[in-house]
């Protein structure tokens, strides 16, 4: 809608991108100059992703899925009484010992003896407390029907998986910079409550103590251990994950064929389909930046 | 005696007096100037506390305070179809020809525009703010805007940057968007009759103390400037959540005698605060158009501002010193401002501002937009629905459904209360309307 005064005696002055001075002579208010949207920048901060890297990163997710699946397997076997309390206690102790070993081996700075003793003291307090409180857990859900318990447990575990922080660890590793955020705390609590509900269905006090110790050990410390392994060596992390996947698949196969198929499908989905899908969707990314953006402060606001 | 008004405009927004702000000011002054040009203007807004019903303001400006309570941040609760009866009644009663909505954040505005389109009136929309694209709130707001502007006749933006932003957010064609800036009441903002002495340079800041207005930048800049220039003092007017941080800064650097905190300054006292100063500091992080800068320039103050949004377009280069939103750059800009301060003549600046900005000019340019809107062709429902379908794969169909239901509700209302039964309000002319202004 710009009037072209070609060949006119007084050519109109050049259009300026200013708001003052009233209507610019020779130009309507809706005149759109060639410099319109000149300063717009598209997709300035978009990271181009590589399929192989995304697949390697998704191994952390499937590794954690396997860990949770193994915990659920142990629960199922305990509830079916195919795993008795003594072997469970043995499992707990071996997990604790191996976890400590891995932490010791993968820590870059030397863990002093006093620190180690302090950790051992904390663990013993924790275990004693759990043993003393075991009778409470045993009778906690006696008046609630089993169906409600299974439904709540499954939904809590799903919530836990959904909100879990797969990139780090909620329990702060020594030297980690990231503080745990709200969703990772919620997921941790959901898993703890789920394990309490499952433990309350067991016959004897020792059963309850063993299962609680096992579940809490895994949910609280498995992310920390896997984070330390990943930090130490990526190859070791991949090896560990594949070993876990193999173990889980074998155990689920031994339990039930249908669950095995579902779990295999899930692992393939997470490791192969989702990375490919993510990369496909990146071409729709359209990020717009320009002079209209709110300015970012270059300093931190310290209150 | 008095000729019938040429245009009959309904201004709709959630933001109007007794609330104070840029949008409210804009609607009021624009309406007053349009009234003086001989048009009829009616304003529709929501009830403010006990202020509900019809009120008349200066010049015969009729304001409908519709009895809907504000729900969050002075906007009405969005009920989509709830406002249809009242909007229809007002439009019929006042024999409105153009509906002019203000501010994308106002739900009343969007609803009124939607109903006005359904009933076949011409609509114009003015956007007063800049929005981003990336966060959840902005994405939803932009979708709502896309819906509102899918079928609009003309749109107005207050700066060129704002025009680019609106075109990107709503997908409107740029030829439909007019750039008409805000203006300032230069009669009210006059410089001091005696300029304050430049022995002590006073830097005035008047803004809401919130993150968006750069209160954190102030916290960094003020101690630095006070250290470099012992003869500079600050006057900070306005209140908000960041008030505490400024007080802490004062305590930490012992600047109680050099930084004066005035608290909230009512609009009527803004001029008296401005004329005590030499330099006006604006540190906002985003501005579509900064009216505060105009008020300061009209009072003869040199402005130092952050280069964000539409601010570079507002004042000529010799009246403003721009800086990046970075404390060191702002200190440098303040230094430059202090050095060019002796060459500034407040009276001359005020006279220049009178020529650069005036509400009468804004009203005349808005009149052109209204005329253009009235010339747009009438479309029937089916043609309009095709415009909504282009808004998106799912959104387009949803918007079409919304408009179809709106149309059906309108027809139902026409059945229950025919158009002829709505009593038309007589036009009240104050004596100066009929006079020609030479």
């Amino acid at each position: 809608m710009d009037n072209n005064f070609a060949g006119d005696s007084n050519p109109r002055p050049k259009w300026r991108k200013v708001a003052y001075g009233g209507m610019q002579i020779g130009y309507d208010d809706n005149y759109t100059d060639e410099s319109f949207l000149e300063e717009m920048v598209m997709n300035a901060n978009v990271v181009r992703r590589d399929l192989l890297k995304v697949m390697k990163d998704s191994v952390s997710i499937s590794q954690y899925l396997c860990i949770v699946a193994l915990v659920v397997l142990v629960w199922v076997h305990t509830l079916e009484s195919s795993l008795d309390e003594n072997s469970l206690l043995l499992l707990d102790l071996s997990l604790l010992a191996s976890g400590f070993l891995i932490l010791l081996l993968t820590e870059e700075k030397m863990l002093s003896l006093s620190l180690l003793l302090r950790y051992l003291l904390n663990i013993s307090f924790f275990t004693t407390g759990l043993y003393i409180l075991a009778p409470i857990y045993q009778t906690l859900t006696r008046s609630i029907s089993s169906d409600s318990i299974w439904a709540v447990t499954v939904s809590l575990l799903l919530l836990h998986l959904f909100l879990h922080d797969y990139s780090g660890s909620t329990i702060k590793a020594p030297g980690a910079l990231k503080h745990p955020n709200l969703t990772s705390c919620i997921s941790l609590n959901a898993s703890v409550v789920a394990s309490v509900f499952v433990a309350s269905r067991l016959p004897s006090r020792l059963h309850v103590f063993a299962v609680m110790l096992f579940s809490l050990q895994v949910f609280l410390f498995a992310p920390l251990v896997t984070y330390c392994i990943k930090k130490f060596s990526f190859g070791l992390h991949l090896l560990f994950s594949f070993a876990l996947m193999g173990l889980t698949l074998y155990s689920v196969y031994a339990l039930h064929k249908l669950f095995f198929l579902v779990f295999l499908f899930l692992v393939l989905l997470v490791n192969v389909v989702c990375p490919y899908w993510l990369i496909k969707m990146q071409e729709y990314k359209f990020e717009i930046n320009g002079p209209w953006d709110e300015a970012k402060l270059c300093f931190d606001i310290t209150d | 005696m008095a000729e019938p008004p040429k245009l009959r405009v309904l201004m709709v927004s959630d933001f109007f007096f007794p609330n104070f702000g840029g949008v409210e000011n804009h609607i009021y002054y624009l309406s007053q100037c349009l009234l003086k040009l001989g048009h009829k203007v009616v304003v529709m807004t929501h009830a403010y506390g006990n202020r509900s019903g019809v009120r008349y303001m200066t010049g015969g400006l009729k304001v409908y305070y519709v009895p809907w309570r504000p729900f969050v941040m002075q906007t009405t609760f969005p009920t989509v179809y709830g406002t249809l009866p009242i909007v229809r009644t007002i439009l019929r009663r006042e024999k409105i020809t153009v509906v002019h909505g203000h501010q994308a954040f106002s739900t009343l505005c969007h609803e009124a525009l939607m109903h006005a389109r359904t009933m076949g009136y011409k609509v114009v929309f003015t956007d007063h703010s800049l929005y981003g694209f990336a966060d959840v709130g902005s994405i939803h707001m932009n979708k709502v805007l896309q819906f509102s502007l899918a079928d609009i006749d003309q749109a107005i933006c207050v700066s060129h940057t704002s025009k680019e932003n609106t075109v990107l957010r709503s997908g409107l064609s740029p030829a439909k968007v007019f750039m008409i800036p805000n203006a300032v009441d230069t009669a009210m903002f006059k410089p001091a009759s005696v300029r304050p002495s430049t022995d002590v340079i006073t830097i005035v800041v008047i803004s809401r103390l919130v993150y968006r207005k750069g209160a954190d930048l102030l916290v960094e800049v003020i101690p630095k400037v006070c250290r470099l220039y012992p003869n500079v003092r600050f006057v900070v007017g306005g209140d908000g959540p960041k008030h505490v941080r400024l007080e802490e800064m004062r305590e930490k650097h012992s600047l109680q005698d050099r930084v004066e905190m005035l608290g909230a300054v009512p609009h009527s006292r803004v001029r008296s605060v401005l004329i005590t100063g030499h330099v006006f500091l604006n540190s906002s992080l985003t501005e579509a158009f900064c009216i505060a800068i105009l008020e300061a320039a009209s009072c003869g103050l040199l402005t130092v501002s952050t280069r964000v949004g539409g601010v570079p377009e507002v004042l000529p280069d010799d009246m403003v010193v721009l800086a990046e939103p970075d404390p060191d750059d702002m200190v440098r800009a303040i230094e430059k401002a202090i050095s060019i301060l002796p060459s500034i003549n407040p009276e001359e600046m005020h006279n220049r501002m009178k020529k650069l900005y005036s509400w009468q000019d804004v009203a005349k340019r808005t009149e052109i937009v209204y005329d253009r809107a009235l010339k747009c062709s009438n479309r029937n429902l089916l043609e309009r629905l095709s415009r909504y379908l282009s808004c998106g794969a799912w959104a387009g169909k949803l918007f079409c459904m919304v408009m179809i239901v709106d149309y059906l509700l309108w027809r139902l209302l026409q059945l229950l209360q025919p158009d002829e039964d709505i009593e038309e309000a007589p036009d009240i002319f104050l004596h100066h309307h009929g006079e020609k202004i030479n």
Side-chain angles (χ1 to χ4, degrees), chain A residues 163 170 179-189:
Chain A
L163 292 179
T170 312
H179 293 281
N181 51 9
L182 179 67
T183 48
S184 62
C185 290
I186 294 177
S187 80
L188 189 63
N189 284 321

Side-chain angles (χ1 to χ4, degrees), chain B residues 72-177:
Chain B
V72 70
M73 293 214 277
Q74 291 300 337
T75 52
T76 34
F77 188 73
T79 54
V80 190
Y81 303 115
T83 42
L84 178 59
I86 188 87
V87 167
R88 174 172 174 252
T89 312
I90 293 176
L91 288 173
R92 292 285 319 166
R93 254 181 84 78
E94 307 291 340
K95 300 182 291 246
I96 300 290
T97 50
V98 180
V99 179
H100 189 167
H102 291 264
Q103 189 62 307
F105 199 61
S106 160
T107 47
L108 189 64
C109 160
H110 290 299
E111 288 185 22
L113 290 184
M114 175 174 83
H115 301 316
R117 278 314 283 146
T118 310
M119 295 190 263
Y121 292 90
K122 299 284 182 268
V123 298
V124 177
F125 175 76
T126 298
D127 199 1
H128 293 260
S129 306
L130 294 174
Y131 283 99
F133 298 91
D135 53 303
V136 182
S138 297
I139 293 176
H140 284 108
M141 180 61 70
N142 292 346
K143 208 67 193 174
V144 169
L145 191 73
Q146 214 183 5
F147 166 65
S148 256
L149 300 190
D151 191 29
I152 206 166
D153 292 302
Q154 304 294 342
I156 301 176
C157 285
V158 291
S159 68
H160 295 290
T161 311
S162 175
K163 177 173 170 174
E164 292 177 356
N165 185 246
T166 304
V167 164
L168 278 175
R169 277 159 54 211
S170 62
L172 265 184
S173 117
K176 263 197 183 171
V177 184

Side-chain angles (χ1 to χ4, degrees), chain B residues 241-402:
Chain B
K242 296 280 179 179
H243 183 256
V244 179
R245 285 204 76 210
L246 279 162
E247 291 283 0
E248 281 174 2
M249 177 264 300
R250 270 175 94 199
E251 294 257 337
K252 191 168 144 187
H253 298 273
S254 313
L255 294 168
Q256 284 91 341
D257 52 338
R258 298 188 58 192
V259 176
E260 193 184 331
M261 308 273 294
L262 297 174
V265 179
H267 197 249
S268 47
R269 279 194 44 225
V270 166
R271 185 217 166 218
S272 54
V273 173
L274 283 174
I275 56 175
T276 61
H278 304 91
V279 178
F280 183 77
L281 178 61
N282 174 48
S283 55
S284 4
L285 298 178
T286 177
E287 286 279 5
F289 186 98
C290 194
I291 301 188
I293 294 180
L294 291 189
E295 292 173 354
S298 181
C299 287
L301 275 82
L302 180 62
T303 308
V304 174
S305 172
T306 42
R307 184 181 282 117
V308 286
V311 172
E313 305 167 26
V314 172
L315 285 177
D317 295 325
D318 53 344
M319 285 184 174
V320 67
V321 181
L322 293 171
E324 300 303 320
D326 166 61
D328 296 317
D329 207 31
M330 287 181 75
V331 171
R332 237 173 288 137
I334 293 179
E335 279 180 77
K336 183 170 169 210
I338 293 176
S339 67
I340 65 177
L341 202 54
S343 61
I344 299 291
N345 182 347
E347 282 296 331
E348 184 205 317
M349 202 187 259
H350 173 78
N351 292 334
R352 268 184 80 189
M353 282 304 290
K354 281 208 284 209
K355 291 199 203 78
L356 290 176
Y357 284 104
S358 78
W359 282 111
Q360 284 85 358
D361 176 57
V362 171
K364 282 207 195 71
R365 288 157 84 173
T366 315
E367 221 185 354
I368 298 177
V369 178
Y370 291 150
D371 287 329
R372 194 74 73 84
L374 285 172
K375 286 201 189 76
C376 282
S377 54
N378 283 325
R379 286 173 200 277
N380 65 9
L381 180 67
L382 285 173
E383 285 171 45
R384 294 190 312 114
L385 285 181
S386 61
R387 285 186 177 186
Y388 286 109
L389 269 178
S390 60
C391 284
W394 293 96
K397 297 177 179 68
L398 176 68
F399 295 158
C400 279
M401 286 298 307
V402 169

